[in-house]
Amino acid sequence: IFIDDVFSTNVNIKKIPSDCGVYLKWFNSNGGYSFHKFYDERIEEVKTKSLSNVVRNQFLNVNESPKSGTYSLGKTSEESIKVKTRVDKNEYEILKDITSSPSVEMYSNNNPFIKGEWVNVDVSGNLKNTTKKHITIQTLTIQLPVKYNITY
């Protein structure tokens, strides 16, 4: 970009055809937002954990047997998504801010041209770059917001 015939900055533009994928935006170290679309192929994981069990206190006749000795108070669940992308050296420099960003958001719809909203998520993972290869594959884990389950 030239301003008044004086060089100001470079802008790298990469045109990507519209297809499905996980779209993230994050607050970068330059004070603005960066965006990146990851492959639609992803691994979804759900981890559940029981809150606790409570002992039943039923008094039955001698000839009746209890059906169960405890009640479950409920469960908690955590959902995460593992995503991949191929990046070149320029894209890697932009993407590496995502792991240290205080604000990362994921677009709620993975299909193009369908309206969604930005949802706060937590991102973890290790980004690795090599000097030999021009294009590398990067993998990140996206921790989705807390899911509220039915409890007693």
Side-chain angles (χ1 to χ4, degrees):
I1 295 178
F2 288 89
I3 300 174
D4 297 328
D5 294 330
V6 177
F7 175 76
S8 177
T9 185
N10 285 330
V11 176
N12 294 319
I13 297 175
K14 182 177 180 181
K15 184 177 177 183
I16 299 174
S18 59
D19 59 351
C20 298
V22 177
Y23 198 45
L24 294 180
K25 87 173 184 181
W26 64 94
F27 190 70
N28 62 31
S29 60
N30 296 325
Y33 280 93
S34 296
F35 298 83
H36 191 81
K37 185 176 69 170
F38 291 79
Y39 297 147
D40 189 37
E41 181 183 329
R42 58 191 179 272
I43 300 172
E44 297 178 0
E45 184 178 359
V46 178
K47 293 181 183 178
T48 60
K49 182 180 174 185
S50 179
L51 290 174
S52 184
N53 291 327
V54 177
V55 177
R56 283 184 183 219
N57 195 6
Q58 285 185 327
F59 296 99
L60 302 172
N61 291 331
V62 175
N63 60 351
E64 296 177 332
S65 63
K67 294 178 183 165
S68 174
T70 60
Y71 283 116
S72 172
L73 292 179
K75 291 189 173 192
T76 59
S77 63
E78 296 177 357
E79 292 185 50
S80 63
I81 301 172
K82 288 186 180 181
V83 292
K84 288 184 180 181
T85 187
R86 288 173 59 135
V87 294
D88 60 22
K89 294 196 182 298
N90 292 331
E91 292 171 316
Y92 174 78
E93 291 301 318
I94 296 167
L95 190 63
K96 71 180 181 181
D97 275 350
I98 198 169
T99 55
S100 59
S101 175
S103 173
V104 180
E105 298 177 31
M106 181 179 79
Y107 200 64
S108 62
N109 202 322
N110 295 335
N111 298 318
F113 310 116
I114 298 177
K115 188 175 180 179
E117 59 186 38
W118 292 102
V119 178
N120 289 325
V121 294
D122 188 30
V123 173
S124 62
N126 297 323
L127 299 177
K128 298 177 184 175
N129 192 19
T130 178
T131 56
K132 282 191 171 187
K133 294 182 182 177
H134 184 67
I135 294 178
T136 58
I137 295 178
Q138 305 295 333
T139 304
L140 291 174
T141 301
I142 303 169
Q143 186 70 36
L144 298 178
V146 175
K147 185 176 181 180
Y148 294 102
N149 298 332
I150 299 171
T151 59
Y152 283 107

